[in-house]
């Protein structure tokens, strides 16, 4: 298929909205008594995958107005009432009620001529959200592809299937819109649950831009997610977290209703982090015995060794592999949904072991945590002309002007950028004071998906370097990054890399880009599901992949158990040492 690049770049700035008077209402379906053997799940997966292809690439106003998760719920419940040999064909009949131009024989489709006005999807994302949208637009005849590219040749139930990628104006209103009837939603209904998880799976399948960089058998994950809707519904969260963790997309989040969550507002009165291969206490409240101190190692919870718990949970963190143990460790104090007594075992740095009991406590009453806060001011004077500058904490232009005045007398600057920017553009302006060159990024791209299964995509936009501004300060500089730098927090670190500034600290999270957020069946607050994932592609400054890898510091300085115990910022100390070395040359 061939598209004019300039034309598409103009088209993505507006959208068309369509409506239809036809309403096809679903009914309340009771939990099904069907035996869900392997063949049944495979049928549901095959039907649902066809639905997802049609949903995103068959151009019609009826398609645009249909509430597809409700259609899928209704259809799954209907096809499971039928004998095995009739399920998939009946599913096709139901689908054709919404999008009727689906045929086994291509010759039965309306003849599309290159000379007539045709309409097609511009999929600059799966839905309207921030930068993303999808819209049916009128095509200029000179940009219409050859006739054999106007129709998509599919495969379903062992046979070819054909449906239009371009539609005539008179065909845009064919079919009946499928809406829902207001009423309670429950994921305990297998059809509802399977429609929800399959819809998330399908959207990611067609729009996630990282499949070429992350090795994952996503087709098998579809079946696993469908199976997660059967049997013990309490296991649904575990299945979802396991399958979506495989993406290594640190933006990924799936929100379930409260009754299906393992963690629900209750937690232990301490924070722990994975440091030097151990679960180290990094903070606590007065609810925890004075015997247990910051810097101690938590070695067991209710008799289970913490390293075993970390191993059990590291594949359910929704985070990348290099962060898995850290995030699993941080999860452990939060896996409670009611008050209960918990036995804890700690090891002191000198090897002594203490045991104690505490309770899981509601977030609202757990009280303040005790660890002294580190200096988080925008400007921090260290003496000898060394200034710590935290540009990511700038929230307004007045703060930037104040920082300029303070930096005027600096002989060396530490850019402590461990965190997330309050205002990314102000951070950019602040960094621009230290260079007269443009601030650059690695690839940061958006895509228009032209065909199902990401078979053809148009790279629609890429962020350009920030224009150069006059350099105000020409002094030695060191930057700092931490394990919690993620997304925009890595965006700004790439600017630092483009300036040639050495970075001290830890490997960052490894994800950047605009994320997509959506709700199904009213979202998790109303009995449905909410979800988020990364919709645009971001690579490292040197062109290598960022996802699942993170930005590597020039001077790796991991946090240690001793530094936590002593409340000592060894990363800052390493940055000072490096800066003084640079100031001497």
């Amino acid at each position: 298929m061939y598209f004019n690049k300039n034309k598409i770049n103009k088209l993505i700035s507006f959208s068309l909205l369509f409506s239809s008077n036809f309403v096809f209402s679903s009914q309340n379906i009771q939990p099904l008594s069907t035996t869900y053997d392997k063949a049944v799940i495979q049928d549901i997966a095959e039907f649902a995958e066809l639905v997802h292809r049609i949903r995103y690439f068959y151009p019609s106003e009826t398609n645009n107005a249909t509430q597809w998760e409700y259609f899928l719920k209704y259809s799954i419940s209907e096809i499971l009432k039928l004998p095995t040999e009739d399920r998939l064909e009946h599913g096709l009949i139901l689908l054709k009620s919404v999008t009727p131009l689906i045929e086994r024989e291509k010759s039965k489709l309306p003849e599309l001529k290159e000379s007539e006005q045709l309409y097609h999807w511009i999929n600059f994302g799966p839905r309207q959200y921030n930068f993303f949208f999808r819209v049916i637009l009128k095509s200029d005849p000179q940009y219409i592809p050859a006739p054999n590219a106007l129709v998509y040749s599919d495969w379903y139930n062992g046979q070819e299937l054909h449906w239009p990628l371009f539609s005539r104006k008179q065909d845009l209103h064919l079919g009946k819109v499928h809406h829902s009837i207001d009423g309670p939603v429950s994921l305990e209904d297998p059809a509802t649950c399977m429609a929800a998880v399959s819809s998330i799976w399908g959207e990611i399948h067609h729009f996630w831009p990282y499949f070429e960089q992350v090795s994952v058998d996503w087709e098998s994950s579809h079946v696993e997610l469908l199976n997660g809707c059967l049997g013990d519904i309490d296991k649904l969260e575990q299945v979802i977290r396991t399958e979506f963790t495989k993406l290594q997309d640190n933006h990924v989040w799936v929100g379930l209703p409260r009754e299906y969550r393992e963690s629900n507002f209750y937690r232990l009165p301490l924070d722990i982090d994975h440091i030097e291969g151990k679960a180290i206490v990094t903070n606590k409240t007065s609810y925890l015995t004075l015997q247990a101190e910051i810097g101690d190692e938590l070695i067991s919870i209710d008799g289970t060794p913490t390293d075993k718990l970390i191993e059990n949970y590291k594949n359910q963190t929704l985070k990348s592999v290099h962060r898995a143990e850290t995030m699993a460790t941080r999860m452990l104090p939060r896996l409670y949904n009611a008050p209960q007594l918990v036995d804890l075992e700690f090891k002191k740095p000198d090897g002594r072991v203490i045991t104690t009991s505490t309770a899981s406590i509601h977030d609202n009453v757990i009280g303040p945590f005790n660890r002294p806060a580190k200096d988080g001011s925008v400007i921090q004077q260290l003496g000898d002309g060394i200034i710590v500058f935290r540009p990511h904490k700038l929230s307004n232009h007045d703060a930037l002007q104040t920082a300029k005045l303070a930096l005027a007398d600096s002989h060396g600057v530490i850019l402590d950028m461990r965190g997330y920017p309050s205002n990314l553009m102000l951070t950019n302006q602040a960094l621009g004071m230290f260079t007269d060159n443009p601030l650059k990024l690695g690839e940061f791209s958006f895509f228009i998906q032209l065909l199902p299964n990401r078979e053809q995509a148009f790279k629609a936009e890429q962020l350009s370097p920030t224009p150069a501004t006059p350099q105000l300060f020409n002094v030695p500089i060191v930057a700092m990054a931490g394990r919690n730098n993620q997304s925009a927090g890595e965006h700004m670190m790439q600017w630092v890399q483009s300036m040639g500034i050495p970075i001290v600290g830890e490997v960052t999270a490894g994800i950047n880009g605009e994320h997509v957020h959506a709700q199904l069946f009213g979202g998790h607050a109303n009995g449905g599901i909410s979800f988020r994932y990364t919709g645009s592609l971001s690579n490292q400054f040197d062109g290598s992949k960022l996802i699942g890898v993170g930005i590597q510091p020039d001077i790796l300085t991991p946090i240690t158990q001793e530094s936590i115990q002593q409340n000592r910022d060894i990363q800052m100390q390493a940055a000072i040492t490096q800066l003084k070395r640079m100031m001497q040359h």
Side-chain angles (χ1 to χ4, degrees):
M1 217 182 297
Y2 302 96
F3 291 85
N4 180 277
K5 182 173 181 177
N6 292 329
K7 180 173 185 287
I8 292 183
N9 280 331
K10 292 178 181 178
L11 292 177
I12 61 176
S13 64
F14 60 92
S15 61
L16 304 177
L17 299 177
F18 296 110
S19 61
S20 174
N21 294 325
F22 295 102
V23 177
F24 187 59
S25 300
S26 62
Q27 301 175 356
N28 293 326
I29 305 298
Q30 297 299 316
L32 306 174
S33 58
T34 305
T35 300
Y36 293 90
D37 57 23
K38 183 176 180 180
V40 171
I41 297 299
Q42 290 292 349
D43 282 350
I44 294 172
E46 183 173 358
F47 170 69
E49 289 170 21
L50 175 63
V51 169
H52 302 322
R53 293 192 292 274
I54 293 291
R55 170 185 182 178
Y56 291 118
F57 297 96
Y58 177 116
S60 81
E61 298 180 12
T62 311
N63 176 345
N64 195 31
T66 287
Q67 293 178 278
W68 282 100
E69 71 265 36
Y70 288 94
F71 169 81
L72 196 53
K73 168 193 172 182
Y74 171 81
S75 299
I76 290 172
S77 64
E78 289 297 304
I79 66 176
L80 290 178
K81 297 174 182 177
L82 301 174
T84 302
E85 61 273 15
D86 296 332
R87 287 179 188 143
L88 289 176
E89 285 307 307
H90 188 68
L92 183 58
I93 291 171
L94 294 173
L95 183 56
K96 291 181 68 171
S97 70
V98 179
T99 52
L101 299 180
I102 305 173
E103 299 291 348
R104 291 291 186 191
E105 298 178 26
K106 188 185 296 187
S107 60
K108 292 184 178 180
L109 291 174
E111 184 180 357
L112 302 179
K113 300 178 181 179
E114 297 178 67
S115 59
E116 65 183 324
Q117 197 70 71
L118 297 178
Y119 294 78
H120 61 99
W121 278 111
I122 293 291
N123 283 313
F124 194 72
R127 62 172 49 76
Q128 186 78 37
Y129 184 79
N130 288 345
F131 294 95
F132 302 98
F133 65 86
R134 59 194 303 260
V135 55
I136 298 173
L137 291 178
K138 183 167 57 176
S139 295
D140 190 317
Q142 66 176 312
Y143 301 124
I144 296 296
N148 63 355
L150 300 175
V151 172
Y152 189 77
S153 294
D154 214 327
W155 188 261
Y156 178 73
N157 196 20
Q159 301 178 61
E160 276 198 343
L161 202 62
H162 306 278
W163 46 272
L165 293 168
F166 289 76
S167 289
R168 303 174 302 178
K169 184 176 182 179
Q170 61 266 37
D171 296 331
L172 291 175
H173 294 275
L174 296 177
K176 296 182 178 181
V177 174
H178 188 110
H179 282 310
S180 67
I181 294 177
D182 291 337
V185 172
S186 174
L187 295 179
E188 293 188 31
D189 168 26
T192 301
C193 180
M194 287 191 282
V197 297
S198 181
S199 294
I200 303 173
W201 178 92
E203 181 170 322
I204 288 174
H205 177 74
H206 290 293
F207 291 96
W208 194 59
Y210 289 102
F211 280 111
E212 287 71 32
Q213 296 188 357
V214 178
S215 179
V216 54
D217 184 359
W218 195 234
E219 285 72 21
S220 295
S221 290
H222 192 196
V223 173
E224 294 300 324
L225 289 165
L226 294 172
N227 278 317
C229 293
L230 310 175
D232 185 358
I233 195 68
D234 292 334
K235 301 296 184 184
L236 177 61
E237 183 182 38
Q238 179 180 333
V239 173
I240 286 175
R241 296 184 70 90
T242 298
E243 296 308 313
F244 285 94
T245 295
K246 294 176 182 178
L247 296 173
Q248 298 196 58
D249 181 345
N250 290 298
H251 280 147
V252 160
W253 166 77
V254 181
L256 294 173
R258 183 182 303 178
E259 58 267 31
Y260 307 124
R261 291 184 231 150
E262 190 170 8
S263 175
N264 251 327
F265 305 117
Y266 287 85
R267 55 163 302 169
L268 301 180
L270 75 165
D271 286 332
I272 54 176
D273 210 337
H274 198 259
I275 297 168
E276 297 184 307
K278 298 175 284 189
I280 303 300
V281 178
T282 57
N283 219 337
K284 55 176 283 191
T285 79
S286 57
Y287 281 101
L288 188 65
T289 176
L290 294 175
Q291 290 180 287
E293 299 173 294
I294 292 173
D296 290 351
E297 178 188 359
L298 178 61
I299 58 176
S300 74
I301 300 176
D302 279 336
T304 303
T306 51
D307 56 358
K308 183 176 180 180
L309 292 170
I310 292 167
E311 184 68 24
N312 290 342
Y313 280 103
K314 72 178 186 180
N315 294 324
Q316 300 175 39
T317 62
L318 300 180
K319 305 300 178 184
S320 56
V321 171
H322 78 288
R323 301 187 77 201
E325 291 179 327
T326 293
M327 303 312 294
T329 303
R330 293 176 181 178
M331 286 171 58
L332 296 183
R334 301 175 179 272
L335 299 177
Y336 300 91
N337 54 24
Q340 66 182 76
L341 282 176
V342 181
D343 294 328
L344 303 176
E345 190 175 17
F346 297 92
K347 180 188 284 187
K348 295 285 185 179
D350 62 9
R352 288 181 296 120
V353 174
I354 65 168
T355 59
T356 186
S357 294
T358 188
S360 54
I361 303 163
H362 197 280
D363 286 337
N364 291 343
V365 297
I366 199 166
F369 282 78
N370 298 333
R371 189 181 184 191
K374 290 186 173 65
D375 192 327
S377 56
V378 173
I379 292 288
Q380 181 184 357
Q381 302 278 355
L382 296 186
D384 298 326
I386 297 176
I387 292 179
V388 178
F389 180 31
R390 299 180 175 89
H392 65 293
K393 290 185 174 291
L394 292 169
S395 57
N396 55 64
H397 287 280
D398 288 342
L400 179 58
Q401 294 305 315
T402 300
K404 284 183 183 180
L405 294 174
L407 290 164
D409 297 325
S410 65
H411 300 300
V413 174
I414 296 173
L415 298 173
D416 183 359
M417 302 176 71
R418 294 173 293 180
Y420 193 88
S422 301
N423 185 311
L424 190 59
M425 289 302 99
L426 279 178
T427 303
N428 178 276
Q429 292 177 38
L431 292 176
M433 299 188 302
F434 299 96
T435 180
D436 54 7
N437 294 316
L439 299 182
K440 298 179 181 179
L441 290 171
E443 180 180 359
F444 194 105
S445 297
F446 297 86
F447 295 88
I448 293 176
Q449 297 298 335
L450 305 175
L451 291 174
N453 309 316
R454 309 171 315 283
E455 292 172 17
Q456 187 175 358
F458 174 83
K459 190 177 291 187
E461 184 177 338
Q462 184 168 334
L463 296 185
S464 301
T466 304
T469 56
Q471 183 177 7
L472 301 183
F473 308 108
N474 185 13
V475 296
I477 308 172
V478 171
M480 299 177 64
R483 62 173 68 183
N484 295 323
N485 279 71
Q486 174 175 312
S487 195
E490 292 172 294
H491 198 106
M492 64 184 184
M493 296 313 302
Q494 291 195 28
W495 286 331
V496 168
Q497 287 181 313
S498 77
M499 298 164 68
I501 297 173
I503 299 174
V504 175
E506 294 182 281
V507 179
T508 63
I511 195 65
N512 191 18
E514 295 295 331
H515 66 260
V516 184
H517 183 98
Q519 297 180 332
L520 298 170
F521 296 110
H524 68 287
N526 298 297
I529 288 183
S530 305
F531 65 100
R532 179 184 67 228
Y533 64 95
T534 308
S536 60
L537 178 72
S538 178
N539 285 326
Q540 301 257 23
F541 178 68
D542 65 4
S544 62
K545 75 173 186 177
L546 175 67
I547 187 169
V549 177
I551 294 172
Q552 310 296 310
D554 300 288
I555 303 169
L556 181 64
T557 312
I559 297 170
T560 64
Q561 180 179 5
E562 182 181 53
S563 69
I564 294 295
Q565 182 191 22
Q566 297 175 357
N567 195 35
R568 187 161 50 89
D569 189 346
I570 61 172
Q571 293 175 346
M572 179 62 73
Q573 291 172 349
I576 293 171
T577 299
Q578 175 63 21
L579 183 63
K580 287 182 176 179
R581 186 179 298 122
M582 294 168 64
M583 291 169 67
Q584 292 172 357
H585 291 83

